Amino acid sequence: MSVERIDYQGGSVKAKGALVWNEKVSGKRPAIKRAQKMAGDKYVALVADMYGEGKTCEGPPTSQEWMMAVRADRVEGRKRANAAMASLVAEADKRGIGDSSKKAAVGFCFGGGNVLELARSGADVNAVVSLHGDLQTTMPAKKGDIKAAVFVIHGSKDPVAPKADRDALEAEMDGAGANWQMLDFGGRLHSFAEEETMMKGVAEYHAGAAHQTFRILDDFIQDAFNKKL
């Protein structure tokens, strides 16, 4: 698996992403905003930089502050998400490994909210998948805004984005005339598809739900690419 750092302008920040692909596989592959776990032999993936300068931290409270700053400015957040997708397509095309007619964005937690904002912005992508993501927005989609097929995968007991948020998202998606689906995993908490997570009563990894999630989302993306949704 090849991983290459790439620089691009993401809204008001200079971003540093990571392009991921299997160099042993020939031919062009769809572009997808998600990392090594999803790239495999099928996709060219980008780890997007939503904070700028490739900066990282060990977690809360710093990560919470950075996240809330992006969430507070949805216009800027959408610019960064769209810039990441544009950079992914450009870099993959430059290397002759990308099929720019097939594009998808997958996000976990904060990233799940980011890919929903990408869809709401009217981005020209085939599919958007949000996993236990931030569902709220200050800029809800209007009729005809959303071009992507949208899939939201969630835990029914997720306290970070409770049922009221899911109900509001359903109403928004219907109002926008979007092609959307939502799947709730019964009893699962926040971040159930990420092995490293553990916050008692809030977030907990669940191997079975994670296994199903990765299989289901791949089928959804392939169906969106092949216009079967």
Side-chain angles (χ1 to χ4, degrees):
M1 195 70 69
S2 293
V3 180
E4 183 177 341
R5 288 287 179 183
I6 58 171
D7 296 332
Y8 62 95
Q9 188 67 36
S12 64
V13 299
K14 291 183 178 180
K16 296 181 181 294
L19 194 69
V20 183
W21 75 100
N22 188 341
E23 61 183 5
K24 295 181 180 179
V25 176
S26 60
K28 295 183 177 181
R29 283 145 280 176
I32 189 166
K33 277 179 64 182
R34 179 58 179 164
Q36 208 162 332
K37 191 165 188 176
M38 286 208 60
D41 297 341
K42 287 185 178 180
Y43 305 110
V44 183
L46 175 76
V47 183
D49 176 10
M50 291 297 293
Y51 300 132
E53 302 296 342
K55 63 184 182 182
T56 61
C57 65
E58 294 183 357
T62 305
S63 61
Q64 186 80 4
E65 293 172 3
W66 293 355
M67 178 186 73
M68 294 305 293
V70 176
R71 288 181 63 187
D73 189 344
R74 298 288 176 166
V75 173
E76 174 66 16
R78 291 183 182 189
K79 287 179 180 178
R80 296 182 188 184
N82 275 278
M85 179 58 74
S87 180
L88 166 59
V89 171
E91 294 291 338
D93 284 350
K94 184 168 66 177
R95 292 162 178 77
I97 56 174
D99 180 355
S100 60
S101 70
K102 296 178 178 180
K103 302 182 289 292
V106 179
F108 291 66
C109 302
F110 173 53
N114 290 332
V115 298
L116 285 176
E117 292 297 328
L118 181 75
R120 289 171 171 129
S121 75
D124 181 21
V125 295
N126 304 84
V128 160
V129 183
S130 170
L131 293 99
H132 35 74
D134 168 22
L135 307 182
Q136 294 183 347
T137 186
T138 56
M139 299 171 62
K142 299 181 179 63
K143 187 74 173 178
D145 282 351
I146 298 177
K147 298 179 176 67
V150 176
F151 192 14
V152 176
I153 303 175
H154 219 69
S156 69
K157 299 296 184 181
D158 186 343
V160 177
K163 190 175 186 302
D165 289 358
R166 302 199 298 276
D167 290 344
L169 181 68
E170 288 184 15
E172 178 192 357
M173 293 293 107
D174 281 343
N179 177 7
W180 69 277
Q181 299 178 23
M182 184 181 294
L183 172 64
D184 287 344
F185 278 96
R188 302 282 73 85
L189 296 173
H190 191 60
S191 296
F192 61 81
E194 298 193 83
E195 292 184 42
E196 65 276 11
T197 192
M198 185 59 199
M199 295 173 62
K200 189 172 178 58
V202 177
E204 183 177 28
Y205 174 68
H206 188 275
H211 173 71
Q212 285 185 295
T213 291
F214 280 101
R215 291 183 61 188
I216 292 167
L217 73 85
D218 188 61
D219 285 345
F220 179 86
I221 291 169
Q222 290 297 320
D223 284 347
F225 287 161
N226 295 317
K227 303 186 186 305
K228 293 182 179 180
L229 295 175

